[in-house]
């Protein structure tokens, strides 16, 4: 931290990695007193090198939002009132324990939202809570997002978290499917300045192809944009695989010894000819052939799919086919293709060889019998798991929600609203009193990001370059605040019958058990040592820092508690405030594979079982109008509409509609349109634009801030509507339990109301 020119005498600067999207840009914050008054890109950051977007530039406004809760709220006589932390945790213990004791652990639902992957607390404590509570009622944002990718990775590689990332800096050809990184800044591909990286790709002579029903800002940058019919990507990708086989373009290269079932795959895609797929996808058969040939011909190439390929009826098949194409063209695990990152806090790499593999459906949801995936049940099923008494076992009677706003982010928020209201007990760990937390009996606000330490446990495993950064809090914890790590540690204790114990006991328990296991592992640098002696060596100001130190030391680049003196530790990281670069992504196979065969299992059983559904889709024709989503650069899911600097202008909740559809339906620009779906209807102003293809309308998500009992004053001024009210939660990708949020049939009607 240092004084800088251009600021007042008591201002100083501090470094902080931005938590507002997956790009993880390093910021230099200007701080006056305890307030963040400015943010610019940190030019010395080893990864982001100065890049910043409008959200990062508004870090101070997001951080200092006056509507953020400052103290816990506890419900008394039906009303949420400010309380002490002690009262709040007493209320949590008193609310949760009777539910566990009377109805068993599955009666407690845990709902983990998106910002958990953006905080240290979210990485370090929910796993402990889940293990300790042993509930099957686990719901996270993954089942309205990337669960299909986890399932496909689990099946192909035996590890649901082994997700290959496109080598953006080196690839010659990028086929980008259902992603709009110019607005989202990238996802499952952590890359500060994604837009700059796409421009650099083209500048070095590479090619960019974008498949998206909308002509997005990303599509405008592309050499080729294919405006596919929503929900049909799996057909297009299967047809591309067909072409690779038919035209003998399959070339596994150095992957060959690590891949099984290639011939079986050729048989499995035999029905998916470009001609057969063409009509369903509304893409010429010739174009499909060209896409496949270009992929095979490029010196290196990467296929990358995101939200538009995941939150669709064949999300897992599409996610699987993305990797299949990378594998068939020899592009998996090679520079310029798609590679497995290796993060500094990854487990100590074990020797390669067969593993336990990945199982689906080890248990099922109570009401609709949805199979679990990665230990989770579909977020779409949360409402029915609470409000429906049929089925085995108890309904969910208590909910622990951490950083989650499913009333807006999951299908049918009105039903979830009622369900949450009927709970015996609910606690929300959330900075805002919003559409979801307003139902809680206790709301525990974490401090703003400037007062929290930061390390990207999740995103470093998805980054286009291996690197590691850590920031201590930029501003000391305000009096009366509690670090989110401590909130969650105390929550673990309160939920598991250890209310009142010292929260550092949670960290000590994790450290002891991790070290105790490591010393027994032959491949560990600490094999055979005394775990207590190792624990005594850990440094750090608090439990979370000691855990980070332990993970760094045991990790793939770690100093191994003295075994590799040049390696990483917390002390070394603290000495490098702009981070430490660990080099470009490198080929790692076969080490990441944990399948029973020790190989890439190209055609796993659950995929085989789901392929007939895709064959049927060759003959299906869509409704005349289907809905897709869209993101705006100055927005982020449901919680950033309360910051004036990030709202207004083009960031509005309007219904994009193609001019021909508008004309056919008699709609003019700005007119109020009633949009009807299976779950309900909403009204939004029409915005006529040929950026959406014919037959497709688009509404953004995360809006609908007009519910009573919330405290988000700016968001309420221009609330928008909740697009997810159009969904009834019944449409899922069956393998992953992921909600179908794109390609949903809707009907439109003109209304007399003006908006
Ligand atoms: N129709 C449609 N629906 C979608 C999507 C879509 O594309 N279309 N996208 C889906 C996707 S990809 C996702 S990830 C989900 C996201 O949906 P959610 O997982 O519900 O996440 P957010 O909407 O971002 O809400 C985050 C909550 O965390 C709180 N929060 C913010 N910062 C912190 C913090 O530091 N600590 C804690 N404890 N809480 C914090 C916010 O106040 C807010 O209540 O939405 C999904 N819903
Ligand atoms: N500014 C901003 N940034 C964000 C977020 C945000 O809300 N705002 N959210 C963050 C989160 S949680 C996530 S998960 C990521 C998501 O990151 P991205 O996946 O890049 O998200 P989107 O911008 O929604 O892009 C999805 C694209 O898929 C297209 N699409 C819809 N249906 C289909 C289809 O059937 N096929 C194909 N091929 N395309 C389709 C849509 O038109 C859209 O352009 O963004 C993150 N970053
Ligand atoms: S791109 Fe993402 S991480 Fe970077 S400044 Fe913007 S919001 Fe923050
Ligand atoms: Mo997401």
């Amino acid at each position: 931290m240092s004084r800088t020119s251009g600021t007042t005498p008591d201002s100083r600067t501090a470094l902080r990695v931005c938590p507002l999207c997956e790009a993880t840009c390093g910021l230099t914050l200007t701080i006056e007193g305890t307030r963040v008054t400015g943010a610019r890109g940190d030019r010395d950051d080893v990864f982001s090198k100065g890049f910043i977007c409008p959200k990062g530039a508004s870090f101070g406004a997001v951080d200092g939002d006056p509507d953020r809760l400052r103290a816990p709220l506890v419900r008394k006589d039906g009303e949420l009132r400010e309380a002490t932390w002690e009262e709040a945790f007493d209320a949590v213990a008193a609310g949760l324990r009777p539910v566990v004791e009377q109805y068993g652990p599955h009666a407690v639902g845990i709902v983990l939202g998106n910002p958990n992957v953006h905080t240290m607390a979210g990485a370090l404590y929910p796993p402990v809570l889940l293990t300790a509570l042993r509930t099957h009622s686990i719901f996270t944002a993954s089942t309205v997002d990337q669960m299909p990718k986890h399932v496909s990775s689990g099946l192909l590689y035996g590890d649901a978290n082994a997700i290959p990332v496109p080598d953006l800096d080196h690839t010659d050809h990028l086929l980008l499917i259902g992603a709009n990184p110019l607005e989202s800044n990238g996802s499952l591909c952590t890359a500060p300045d994604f837009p700059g990286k796409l421009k650099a790709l083209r500048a070095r002579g590479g090619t960019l192809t974008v498949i998206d029903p909308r002509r997005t800002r990303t599509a405008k940058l592309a050499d080729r944009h294919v405006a596919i019919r929503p929900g049909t990507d799996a057909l297009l990708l299967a047809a591309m695989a067909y072409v690779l086989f038919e035209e003998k373009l399959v070339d596994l290269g150095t992957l060959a010894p690590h891949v099984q079932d290639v011939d079986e795959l050729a048989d499995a895609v035999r029905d998916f000819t470009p001609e057969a797929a063409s009509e369903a996808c509304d893409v010429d058969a010739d174009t499909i052939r060209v896409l496949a040939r270009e992929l095979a011909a490029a010196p290196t190439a990467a296929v990358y799919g995101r939200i538009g390929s995941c939150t669709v009826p064949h999300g897992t098949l599409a996610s699987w086919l993305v990797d299949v194409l990378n594998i068939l063209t020899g592009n998996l695990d090679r520079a310029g293709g798609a590679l497995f990152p290796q993060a500094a806090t990854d487990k100590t790499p074990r020797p390669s060889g067969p593993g336990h593999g990945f199982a689906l459906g080890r248990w099922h949801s109570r009401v609709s019998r949805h199979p679990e995936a990665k230990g989770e049940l579909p977020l779409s099923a949360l409402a029915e798991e609470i409000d429906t008494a049929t089925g085995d076992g108890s309904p969910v009677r208590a909910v622990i929600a951490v950083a989650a706003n499913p009333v807006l982010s999951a299908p049918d928020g009105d039903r979830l609203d009622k369900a949450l209201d009927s709970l015996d007990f609910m606690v929300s760990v959330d900075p805002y009193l919003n559409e979801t937390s307003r139902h809680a009996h206790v709301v525990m606000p974490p401090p703003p990001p400037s007062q929290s330490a930061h390390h990207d446990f999740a995103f470093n495993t998805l980054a286009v370059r291996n690197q590691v950064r850590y920031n201590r809090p930029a501003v000391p914890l305000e009096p009366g605040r509690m670090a989110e790590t401590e909130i969650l540690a105390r929550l673990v204790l309160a939920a598991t019958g250890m209310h009142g114990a010292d929260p550092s006991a949670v960290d000590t328990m994790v450290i002891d058990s991790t070290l105790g296991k490591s010393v027994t592992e032959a491949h560990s640098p600490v094999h055979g040592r005394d775990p207590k002696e190792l624990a005594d060596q850990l440094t750090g100001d608090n439990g979370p820092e000691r855990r980070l130190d332990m993970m760094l030391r045991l990790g793939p680049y770690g100093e191994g508690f003295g075994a590799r003196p040049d390696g990483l530790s917390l002390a070394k990281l603290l000495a490098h405030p702009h981070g430490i670069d660990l080099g470009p992504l490198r080929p790692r196979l076969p080490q990441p594979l944990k399948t029973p065969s020790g190989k890439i299992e190209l055609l796993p059983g659950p995929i085989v079982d789901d392929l007939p559904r895709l064959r049927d889709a060759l003959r299906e024709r869509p409704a005349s109008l289907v809905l897709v989503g869209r993101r705006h650069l100055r927005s982020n899911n449901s919680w950033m509409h309360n910051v004036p600097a990030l709202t207004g202008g083009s960031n509005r909740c309007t219904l994009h509609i193609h001019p021909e559809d508008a004309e056919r339906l008699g709609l003019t620009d700005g007119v109020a349109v009633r949009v009807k779906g299976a779950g309900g209807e909403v009204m939004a102003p029409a915005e006529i634009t040929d950026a959406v293809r014919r037959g497709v309308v688009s509404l953004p998500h995360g809006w609908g801030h007009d519910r009573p009992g919330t405290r988000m004053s700016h968001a309420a001024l221009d609330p928008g509507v909740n697009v997810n009210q159009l969904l009834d939660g019944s449409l899922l990708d069956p393998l992953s339990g992921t909600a179908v949020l794109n390609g949903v049939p809707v009907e439109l009607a003109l209304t007399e109301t003006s908006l």
Side-chain angles (χ1 to χ4, degrees):
M1 296 182 198
S2 62
R3 293 263 164 101
T4 49
S5 56
T7 49
T8 62
D10 12 306
S11 75
R12 59 187 176 92
T13 61
L15 300 173
R16 175 59 152 93
V17 169
C18 178
L20 303 181
C21 89
E22 298 184 34
T24 73
C25 303
L27 305 181
T28 305
L29 306 180
T30 306
I31 294 161
E32 298 187 33
T34 55
R35 230 163 41 88
V36 179
T37 54
R40 57 194 154 80
D42 171 17
R43 255 177 265 129
D44 298 320
D45 184 280
V46 293
F47 192 28
S48 64
K49 302 196 161 75
F51 181 77
I52 189 169
C53 86
K55 283 199 296 297
S58 300
F59 181 99
V62 174
D63 194 75
D65 183 346
D67 279 344
R68 277 180 185 263
L69 302 173
R70 286 171 183 273
L73 304 178
V74 174
R75 195 172 292 280
K76 284 187 198 122
D77 307 323
E79 243 180 79
L80 281 169
R81 298 195 192 140
E82 282 201 3
T84 65
W85 286 101
E86 205 186 330
E87 288 166 331
F89 283 107
D90 285 348
V92 171
L96 285 178
R97 288 312 298 166
V99 173
V100 179
E101 277 150 26
Q102 193 174 346
Y103 304 102
H106 308 319
V108 179
I110 298 186
V111 185
L112 302 173
N114 170 272
N116 280 297
V117 284
H118 295 273
T119 65
M120 284 183 77
L124 293 176
Y125 298 91
V128 189
L129 180 65
L130 303 183
T131 310
L133 208 54
R134 297 211 318 275
T135 171
H136 284 172
S137 305
I138 298 169
F139 307 86
T140 84
S142 296
T143 52
V144 283
D145 189 347
Q146 83 289 357
M147 188 59 93
K149 198 74 211 171
H150 288 304
V151 171
S152 96
S153 281
L155 296 171
L156 280 164
Y157 314 121
D159 180 354
N161 287 318
I163 295 179
V165 165
D167 191 4
L168 285 189
D169 290 327
H170 307 107
T171 192
D172 296 293
H173 179 72
L174 182 66
L175 176 59
L176 199 146
I177 302 159
N180 186 12
L182 264 77
E183 305 283 358
S184 70
N185 274 311
S187 179
L188 297 188
C189 176
T190 283
D193 197 11
F194 208 127
K197 289 181 189 299
L198 293 183
K199 287 172 197 152
L201 157 73
R202 298 207 54 216
R204 67 176 175 263
T207 46
L208 172 67
T209 299
V210 171
I211 302 186
D212 197 309
R214 300 187 306 120
R215 196 175 67 256
T216 60
R217 284 174 61 212
T218 309
K220 284 182 192 154
L221 210 65
D223 298 272
R224 184 195 298 278
H225 169 217
V226 178
I228 193 169
R229 182 174 283 145
T232 64
D233 297 79
L235 293 172
L236 176 98
L237 298 174
M240 287 175 66
Y242 171 93
V243 175
L244 293 179
F245 283 114
E246 187 204 22
E247 302 190 3
K248 305 215 170 351
L249 298 173
V250 172
D251 180 2
L252 271 60
T254 55
L255 282 177
H258 307 304
V259 183
Q260 66 173 37
D261 300 338
V262 178
D263 293 342
E264 290 80 354
L265 176 70
D267 272 348
V269 297
R270 210 177 287 284
D271 294 336
F272 299 97
T273 64
E275 289 68 25
S278 166
E279 208 186 320
C281 302
D282 197 16
V283 176
D284 289 344
D286 285 347
T287 302
I288 300 177
R289 286 180 191 278
V290 169
L291 290 174
R293 288 175 196 146
E294 283 178 352
L295 188 67
T300 65
V303 187
Y304 161 71
R306 225 12 312 264
I307 280 288
S309 69
C310 283
T311 50
V312 287
H314 304 281
T316 300
L317 289 182
S319 298
W320 165 72
L321 283 159
V322 163
D323 284 30
V324 161
L325 291 175
N326 283 327
I327 293 164
L328 294 181
T329 52
N331 280 303
L332 184 79
D333 199 47
R334 78 164 170 194
L339 298 110
F340 299 98
Q342 176 92 79
T345 54
D346 280 349
K347 286 200 178 118
T348 317
R350 58 167 206 134
S352 46
H356 295 303
F358 173 78
L360 279 167
R362 292 164 298 171
W363 54 86
H364 290 77
S365 72
R366 202 176 42 84
V367 181
S368 292
R369 309 296 301 160
H370 297 299
E372 64 77 35
K374 205 169 167 267
E376 299 182 22
L377 300 176
L379 189 60
S380 291
L382 173 61
E384 69 178 24
E385 288 294 302
I386 299 171
D387 71 16
T388 307
T390 57
D392 299 336
S394 167
V396 167
R397 291 177 169 267
V399 160
I400 301 173
V402 184
N405 192 8
V407 168
L408 294 190
S409 51
D412 198 352
D414 288 350
R415 179 172 178 186
L416 192 54
D417 250 341
K418 291 195 193 83
L420 293 176
D421 230 24
S422 74
L423 290 167
D424 291 356
F425 183 75
M426 173 173 171
V427 50
S428 266
V429 181
D430 205 288
Y432 287 105
L433 190 58
N434 65 13
E435 298 77 13
T436 297
S437 61
R438 73 192 176 113
H439 295 290
H441 297 82
V442 177
V443 184
M444 303 202 174
S450 65
Q451 295 175 32
S452 307
H454 190 79
H455 173 73
D456 282 298
F457 288 100
F459 296 123
N460 286 352
T461 69
L462 297 161
V464 296
R465 196 169 171 95
N466 294 316
Q467 41 67 45
V468 58
R469 293 163 293 166
Y470 175 64
N471 310 122
R472 283 186 162 157
V475 172
L477 212 53
E478 228 178 325
R481 291 264 188 205
M482 187 180 279
E484 187 163 10
T485 44
E486 184 176 338
I487 296 175
L488 295 193
R490 287 184 185 275
L491 192 59
V492 171
L493 296 170
T496 54
M498 291 185 280
H499 175 45
D502 185 335
S504 69
V506 175
D507 302 304
T508 305
M509 192 187 72
V510 173
I511 288 169
D512 289 350
S513 85
T514 309
L515 291 174
K517 185 159 176 276
S518 293
V519 297
T520 66
E521 292 172 336
H523 64 273
S524 170
V526 296
H527 179 64
R529 291 180 62 181
D530 171 15
K532 178 151 183 344
E533 173 246 332
L534 301 175
D536 288 345
Q537 287 186 34
L538 293 175
T539 65
D541 282 353
N542 46 45
E545 280 200 348
R546 283 159 49 80
R547 286 175 66 185
L548 176 61
D549 190 30
M550 174 184 70
M551 293 166 82
L552 290 169
R553 289 179 189 230
L554 291 176
Y557 311 90
E559 61 80 72
F561 290 83
R564 293 181 298 245
D566 292 343
L568 289 180
S569 64
L570 178 65
K572 182 158 178 180
L573 198 46
L574 286 168
H576 292 82
H578 303 282
I580 298 175
D581 181 42
L582 300 169
L585 304 187
R586 291 182 197 90
R588 288 183 53 206
L589 285 176
Q591 192 276 332
L593 301 178
K594 293 183 188 161
T595 48
S597 61
K599 297 198 175 203
I600 297 174
E601 299 183 354
L602 203 53
L603 189 62
I607 296 282
V608 174
D609 295 344
D610 200 24
L611 277 170
R613 203 170 54 89
L614 191 62
R615 274 187 205 103
D616 292 345
L618 284 169
R619 289 180 301 274
E620 281 162 18
R621 294 296 170 263
S624 62
L625 217 48
V626 295
L627 175 82
V628 299
R630 72 175 188 271
R631 282 173 162 77
H632 192 283
L633 182 57
R634 287 185 300 121
S635 194
N636 185 44
N637 298 327
S638 74
W639 71 280
M640 247 171 257
H641 298 138
N642 206 50
V643 177
L646 295 176
T647 50
S650 55
N651 182 14
R652 291 178 55 231
C653 187
T654 58
L655 183 82
H656 282 186
I657 181 165
H658 189 273
E660 286 178 20
D661 291 319
E663 198 184 322
R664 179 168 55 84
L665 296 162
L667 305 178
T668 51
D669 207 55
V671 76
V673 188
R674 191 181 297 278
V675 191
K676 219 168 160 315
E681 55 180 56
V682 298
M683 250 191 332
E687 188 174 340
I688 299 175
T689 165
D690 66 1
V692 282
R693 52 164 279 156
R694 285 172 205 84
V696 176
V697 291
S698 167
L699 258 181
H701 72 284
W703 295 87
H705 306 293
D706 52 0
R707 284 167 158 82
T710 62
R711 204 177 297 166
M712 298 185 75
S713 48
H714 181 72
L717 296 177
D718 188 8
V721 292
N722 178 13
V723 64
N724 286 326
Q725 201 49 56
L726 300 171
L727 312 175
D728 65 3
S730 66
L731 287 180
L732 298 179
D733 166 41
L735 284 178
S736 67
T738 302
V740 175
L741 305 172
N742 283 295
V744 180
V746 288
E747 286 169 16
L748 302 189
L750 189 58
T751 72
E752 297 308 312
T753 323
S754 65
L755 286 181

